[in-house]
Amino acid sequence: MQQDNRNRILFTALLVCLAVCFLLNISLGSVHIPVADIASSLSGGQASKNSWEIIIWNYRLPKAITAILVGMGLSISGLLMQTLFRNPLAGPYVLGLSSGASLGVAFIILGSGLLPSFLSVFFLSSYGIVLASCLGSLMVLLAVLVVSQRLRDTMAILIVGLMFGSFTSAIIGVLSYFSTAEELQKFTFWSLGSLGNLSWTNILILSVCCLIGLLLSALCIKPLNALLLGERYAKSLGINFKKTRLIIIIATSLLAGSITAFAGPIAFIGLAVPHISKMVFQTSSHYILFWGTLLFGAIILLVCDTVSQMPGNDFTLPINAITSIVGAPIVVWLLVRKRKFMI
C-alpha cells in the first residue's frame, strides 16, 4: 500500500513536470513568449502579438509535440530491448534500424549525382529524405525478421543487429569518401538530428506510427514481466515467446524507424531513460515502468530541446549533441553503480 501511494505521488509529479516542461519549451527560444499568452493561444484565444501567434502554431508547438513523441518512442524502444535481451546496454539501435535509415539517406544525399535530374530534385527534398530513410529502415527490418525466424537465441539476433549496423556504417563510409564537400555537409547536418521543420502532415504520420508502436508495446507488458526471469520461466507460464519476440521487434522497428526518418538518429534517450525510470520507481514491474518510462522520455527530451534552443540567442544547437551530453554521463554513472541495475 505504501509503495502504491509512492507511485501515485511520483506519477502525479511527473505529469505536472511534463506540463511545465511543455509550456517552457514553447515559451523559451530566440523570442520569449509569456506562458499566459501561450495558454490563451492554445485554449482558442489570441496571444498579445500576431507574431507570437505565428511562432507558437507554426514553429514551437509542432517542435514540442515532436519532442514528446520522439522521447516516448525511443524510451519505450529501449525498455523493450533491454528486457528482451536482458542486457542493460541494449537500445533501439541494436537491431541496426537507425543505421539502415542513415544508409537510405546517405544513398540519396551522397549519391544524388548518379540519379536523373527529376529524381534527384524529388529525393533531395524533405519528403524524399524521409522516404529514403523509411526504406532503409524497412530493408533492415525485413532482413532481421528473416533471420529471427531461423534463430531461437535472442543474443544471436542482437549480434546480427550489431553486424547490420556495422555493415551499413561501412557502406556509408565508402559513400562519404567519394562524395563532394556539399553532399557530405548536408548528410552531416541530417545525422545531427532535428526536432524542427516538421509540417503538421509529417507530425500526423509520425503520431500514427508511434501510436501503433506504443500499443503493440503495451500488449507485451505481461510477457515482459515473465521474461525478467528468463525464457524458460516465461514458457512455463504459457507465454508464446516466439510471438512475443516478433511483436517486440516490430514495435521497436516501427518506433525507431519512423522517429529516425523524421528527426534523424538521436542517441542515448533509448538507453538512459529506462534506467532512470527503474531507479526512481525502484521496481522491475513493467506495469509501472512502461508508464514511468513514457513520461520520463517525454520530459527529458523536452528539456534537451529547450537547452538546444539556447534561450535568448538566435542559433540552435544540434539536439543529438545535447542528448549525448546529457545521456553519456548518466550511462557512465549507471555503469559505476552496476549493482543497482534491475534487469
Side-chain angles (χ1 to χ4, degrees):
M1 184 62 73
Q2 188 176 1
Q3 183 67 29
D4 290 342
N5 290 334
R6 181 177 179 274
N7 289 338
R8 288 192 192 95
I9 293 172
L10 285 173
F11 277 120
T12 303
L14 286 176
L15 286 172
V16 173
C17 186
L18 177 61
V20 171
C21 290
F22 179 74
L23 291 174
L24 284 178
N25 184 264
I26 298 175
S27 173
L28 300 177
S30 57
V31 176
H32 172 66
I33 302 175
V35 173
D37 286 281
I38 295 171
S40 174
S41 180
L42 296 183
S43 60
Q46 290 285 329
S48 301
K49 298 181 181 178
N50 288 333
S51 60
W52 290 353
E53 196 79 12
I54 294 172
I55 291 172
I56 290 171
W57 286 97
N58 292 349
Y59 300 101
R60 302 276 179 87
L61 183 60
K63 196 149 69 72
I65 293 174
T66 304
I68 292 174
L69 292 173
V70 171
M72 287 182 170
L74 291 180
S75 302
I76 291 299
S77 298
L79 180 65
L80 295 178
M81 292 294 96
Q82 288 168 13
T83 304
L84 177 64
F85 295 114
R86 302 192 69 196
N87 187 330
L89 296 180
Y93 298 105
V94 292
L95 294 179
L97 302 179
S98 177
S99 300
S102 299
L103 180 62
V105 176
F107 268 125
I108 297 304
I109 295 178
L110 304 180
S112 59
L114 302 176
L115 297 172
S117 57
F118 69 97
L119 283 178
S120 177
V121 170
F122 169 74
F123 278 111
L124 286 176
S125 67
S126 58
Y127 289 102
I129 291 175
V130 169
L131 178 62
S133 179
C134 287
L135 288 176
S137 294
L138 182 61
M139 288 177 62
V140 176
L141 165 64
L142 293 176
V144 172
L145 286 176
V146 169
V147 173
S148 67
Q149 295 301 314
R150 293 180 173 272
L151 296 177
R152 301 178 67 85
D153 185 5
T154 53
M155 290 308 297
I157 298 176
L158 173 64
I159 294 172
V160 169
L162 291 173
M163 291 303 101
F164 274 123
S166 299
F167 178 72
T168 54
S169 297
I171 296 178
I172 292 172
V174 173
L175 289 172
S176 300
Y177 182 80
F178 290 104
S179 64
T180 64
E182 183 181 357
E183 292 169 342
L184 192 58
Q185 183 186 42
K186 189 170 184 178
F187 179 73
T188 301
F189 278 127
W190 177 85
S191 64
L192 290 174
S194 173
L195 301 177
N197 303 320
L198 264 68
S199 66
W200 284 108
T201 302
N202 291 338
I203 292 175
L204 178 62
I205 296 171
L206 180 62
S207 301
V208 171
C209 292
C210 286
L211 181 62
I212 295 173
L214 293 175
L215 286 175
L216 288 174
S217 305
L219 292 176
C220 298
I221 289 178
K222 184 179 178 181
L224 285 172
N225 280 339
L227 281 174
L228 289 172
L229 298 176
E231 296 177 17
R232 290 185 180 178
Y233 179 78
K235 289 176 181 175
S236 70
L237 292 179
I239 302 294
N240 188 332
F241 177 69
K242 197 171 181 179
K243 180 181 176 183
T244 301
R245 187 176 65 180
L246 182 63
I247 293 175
I248 291 175
I249 290 175
I250 292 175
T252 305
S253 304
L254 191 59
L255 289 170
S258 61
I259 288 170
T260 304
F262 285 102
I266 295 178
F268 283 106
I269 294 297
L271 179 59
V273 172
H275 291 301
I276 295 173
S277 180
K278 292 168 190 171
M279 186 173 59
V280 172
F281 284 96
Q282 297 179 2
T283 179
S284 58
S285 171
H286 288 75
Y287 290 107
I288 301 296
L289 289 179
F290 182 86
W291 303 108
T293 304
L294 269 181
L295 293 173
F296 269 116
I299 290 169
I300 290 175
L301 204 57
L302 279 172
V303 171
C304 289
D305 183 56
T306 303
V307 173
S308 72
Q309 289 177 161
M310 298 292 288
N313 293 280
D314 293 332
F315 56 91
T316 302
L317 296 174
I319 185 66
N320 208 9
I322 301 301
T323 56
S324 298
I325 290 172
V326 172
I330 293 175
V331 173
V332 172
W333 180 62
L334 288 168
L335 284 172
V336 172
R337 300 175 75 249
K338 192 174 180 180
R339 60 190 175 88
K340 293 292 185 182
F341 279 129
M342 289 180 286
I343 293 294

